[in-house]
Amino acid sequence: MPARTSPGCGKPGGPKRPGARALRHAVVRVLPYTPRQLFELVGDVRSYPEFVPWITSMRVWNERADAQGESRLDAEAAVGFSFLRERFSTRVKRDPAAGEITVSLISGPFRRLFNRWKFHEDPAGTRVEFEIDFEFKSRLLQTLLAANFHHAVDRLIGCFEDRARALYAKP
């Protein structure tokens, strides 16, 4: 089944290979927490193994911040699924003034990887916008994951929603 492209997703990354099918998806949710709470939750990549079941470990290095409060770090995630065990490294940019976290590929099984989280105030809490765009180097992996890609993104977002509820829900 070919991957569906969500409307509104840009085209980050470089030129495509002929015949390559990028996997792109965008999700928008309104959650009953503050933008700052959700920014901190998503920006705390070290804690991902605690609540994203397929991230088995996380290593962070090159963490730095500038005078304006924007920070960057490099992170290596180990992921494990029933048929796949991989590591990949990303560069994470956290911009609290813009309410935005971006993640781009350093190395790993991807030809390209980009994702963006944006946090906007909303009368009901925070409007969270998440977009992801990636392509595996391996056509086999690309084909295997394409069929369940949108479900996997929804599960990922669900992990963050569950974590926010556990951390910030009022008793």
Side-chain angles (χ1 to χ4, degrees):
M1 179 171 114
R4 294 175 287 160
T5 302
S6 299
C9 277
K11 294 183 179 181
K16 290 186 189 178
R17 291 179 299 126
R21 292 184 186 259
L23 297 175
R24 292 189 189 114
H25 190 56
V27 175
V28 177
R29 299 262 169 87
V30 176
L31 300 176
Y33 312 105
T34 68
R36 176 137 183 107
Q37 287 174 318
L38 295 174
F39 180 90
E40 293 297 325
L41 169 62
V42 173
D44 182 14
V45 299
R46 283 182 179 88
S47 69
Y48 287 10
E50 296 172 23
F51 65 94
V52 181
W54 53 89
I55 297 180
T56 58
S57 69
M58 182 71 72
R59 181 175 67 97
V60 173
W61 72 99
N62 285 340
E63 193 162 6
R64 58 225 177 262
D66 64 20
Q68 292 76 35
E70 190 175 286
S71 65
R72 290 179 169 75
L73 61 86
D74 298 332
E76 180 186 67
V79 296
F81 296 96
S82 59
F83 62 91
L84 173 69
R85 302 239 182 268
E86 279 289 349
R87 291 184 178 275
F88 64 96
S89 298
T90 57
R91 181 147 297 134
V92 179
K93 177 182 161 192
R94 301 176 292 198
D95 184 348
E100 182 175 280
I101 297 172
T102 57
V103 179
S104 57
L105 180 66
I106 295 174
S107 65
F110 301 98
R111 185 171 310 285
R112 82 169 176 273
L113 168 66
F114 177 82
N115 71 59
R116 175 181 293 132
W117 295 83
K118 294 177 111 181
F119 307 93
H120 305 278
E121 286 190 27
D122 186 272
T126 301
R127 187 177 81 248
V128 179
E129 299 173 4
F130 174 74
E131 64 182 91
I132 185 166
D133 175 7
F134 73 89
E135 178 185 351
F136 279 102
K137 291 176 185 174
S138 161
R139 285 187 184 219
L140 176 60
L141 279 180
Q142 189 81 359
T143 302
L144 287 172
L145 293 177
N148 294 309
F149 174 62
H150 296 285
H151 175 69
V153 172
D154 288 341
R155 280 193 61 209
L156 175 65
I157 298 300
C159 290
F160 283 92
E161 288 181 86
D162 291 347
R163 180 68 165 188
R165 192 175 308 108
L167 293 174
Y168 307 125
K170 295 176 182 154

